[in-house]
Amino acid sequence: GGLLKMGCSFDTGAGSRHGLERMRSDLVTAIDSDVPRGAVGAFDKCGKVLYGYPESAGYWLQWASSRPDVSLLDGERVVGWLADTQLARGGWPTRMARDGMDDTTTSYLFDHAMIWHGLRCWANQRRSGTAYQLEVAALAATERFIVSGELVAGFGPMPSRWSARAGPFLLKACARLRGAIGPIGAACTRAMPTLVQRSISLPHIEAHPQLYAIEGLLMTGHAAEARRAFGDLCARGGGIHRIRESTLGGPRRSDVLAQVLRAGLMLGMATREDPAWAALAGELLGRIDENGRVAFSDGDAQCPTWVALFCEQALTFWQGEPLAAEGLV
């Protein structure tokens, strides 16, 4: 399919279909690696697996659980990789680099919520006993993120950035965990009102976590707050055609663009007749390479799996297939 650049109209014909077909094919095709496809965090420009990523494995399991083109065996390989990782490391660190350079002692509540939800979806949809057992373990592992009744974002050496602090982005994690039986469900329920309020009064300056907050608002039925927060984010970013990593600048990230398109469609603000939204969809489509992968940003050659999953959902939704808030990966 032809690649489209920003400012061109979105091709709803063969180019769109072929790009999405390449992306879906890549997401479900087994690879020659000790990290199964669904657990790959990112590939380099030569197609080498850079690291395994438990959070991304959770997203993939959720996405793959209801897809007939994903075999039970391929999904169970991802479940098995998560089980082996937990056994070897006593839990789920953020990511496991192939060269051993990443610190594997850091873990996050957000990541654990996505792992638990992905395992839950796979266990329910595919009747996987292994996934169910691991789901129970993943839920138990979330309890360490409750300190004096309050949620903490993570443990271990953490960078000084949004992911280290319990901010509005945790709305997406709480949307997944609030119905869980046990301490974490209760803690998330208690935290929700404050997080909802902060998503409006103290929004993240970075687009990615603020869009997580907006997704959490959508998942929990806070449509008015989601619309307000989304409008504010777009305004602070200079409009959807200018939105970048943060209000201070940074790259034009593919995951952010996909999140913007998904949220805009879900809120009824993105229409196919609007040239700006059509250009955004076209920009995303144009980033799909010949292997069906999408670079992290316009200046980064790494191709993360979560970016592809977000883009697949956004472009599928744009083409007219329904997507409920609960289905957001």
Side-chain angles (χ1 to χ4, degrees):
L3 300 185
L4 302 182
K5 301 300 182 183
M6 184 66 177
C8 301
S9 61
F10 183 70
D11 180 6
T12 57
S16 171
R17 288 194 303 273
H18 292 166
L20 277 173
E21 286 167 5
R22 289 198 306 274
M23 181 179 288
R24 290 169 184 153
S25 176
D26 174 64
L27 284 167
V28 304
T29 299
I31 58 174
D32 183 17
S33 171
D34 56 337
V35 181
R37 177 64 188 91
V40 171
F43 297 93
D44 69 10
K45 62 182 180 180
C46 298
K48 175 187 174 183
V49 175
L50 294 174
Y51 55 87
Y53 203 1
E55 177 195 346
S56 190
Y59 282 137
W60 186 89
L61 284 170
Q62 176 196 336
W63 176 84
S65 62
S66 58
R67 293 193 64 89
D69 52 347
V70 177
S71 71
L72 178 63
L73 178 60
D74 285 339
E76 290 294 285
R77 286 193 180 111
V78 175
V79 174
W81 180 85
L82 284 170
D84 290 344
T85 300
Q86 185 204 31
L87 183 65
R89 303 180 186 274
W92 290 289
T94 308
R95 60 182 68 178
M96 282 72 70
R98 305 299 299 285
D99 57 11
M101 296 300 290
D102 279 8
D103 190 316
T104 59
T105 61
T106 300
S107 61
Y108 292 94
L109 170 59
F110 190 95
D111 297 33
H112 280 66
M114 301 310 139
I115 294 166
W116 174 74
H117 184 67
L119 287 165
R120 187 167 181 248
C121 289
W122 188 262
N124 290 343
Q125 293 285 342
R126 300 301 183 104
R127 301 293 184 263
S128 168
T130 305
Y132 175 75
Q133 291 175 355
L134 205 58
E135 171 198 344
V136 173
L139 188 61
T142 62
E143 293 186 20
R144 73 184 298 238
F145 298 99
I146 307 170
V147 177
S148 301
E150 302 291 328
L151 297 178
V152 296
F155 286 100
M158 291 184 288
S160 299
R161 57 195 298 264
W162 59 267
S163 56
R165 301 181 297 276
F169 78 98
L170 285 181
L171 279 166
K172 186 171 182 177
C174 285
R176 294 304 188 206
L177 290 166
R178 63 181 178 148
I181 297 172
I184 193 65
C188 283
T189 299
R190 288 194 304 271
M192 285 289 299
T194 298
L195 293 174
V196 169
Q197 187 271 328
R198 287 180 179 174
S199 72
I200 302 297
S201 64
L202 293 171
H204 295 284
I205 64 169
E206 302 91 348
H208 184 51
Q210 184 62 8
L211 283 158
Y212 277 154
I214 291 164
E215 290 161 12
L217 291 171
L218 287 165
M219 291 175 184
T220 53
H222 291 85
E225 291 87 349
R227 179 176 289 273
R228 181 177 171 186
F230 186 71
D232 172 69
L233 174 66
C234 291
R236 287 186 291 121
I240 60 170
H241 60 295
R242 291 180 179 170
I243 198 162
R244 293 188 174 274
E245 186 171 50
S246 83
T247 55
L248 303 177
R252 195 158 164 86
R253 288 173 48 164
S254 299
D255 54 354
V256 167
L257 301 187
Q259 287 179 284
V260 167
L261 183 56
R262 289 192 311 187
L265 287 164
M266 201 151 284
L267 288 164
M269 299 169 70
T271 66
R272 301 173 70 84
E273 295 73 31
D274 188 321
W277 286 105
L280 177 61
E283 183 178 4
L284 277 175
L285 178 65
R287 293 185 177 209
I288 304 172
D289 69 15
E290 65 275 9
N291 297 312
R293 295 168 186 166
V294 183
F296 177 72
S297 72
D298 46 8
D300 193 321
Q302 290 191 23
C303 295
T305 294
W306 80 86
V307 171
L309 289 169
F310 288 6
C311 288
E312 193 279 337
Q313 278 200 330
L315 293 173
T316 298
F317 197 5
W318 175 261
Q319 285 196 322
E321 294 188 28
L323 177 65
E326 179 59 27
L328 287 168
V329 296

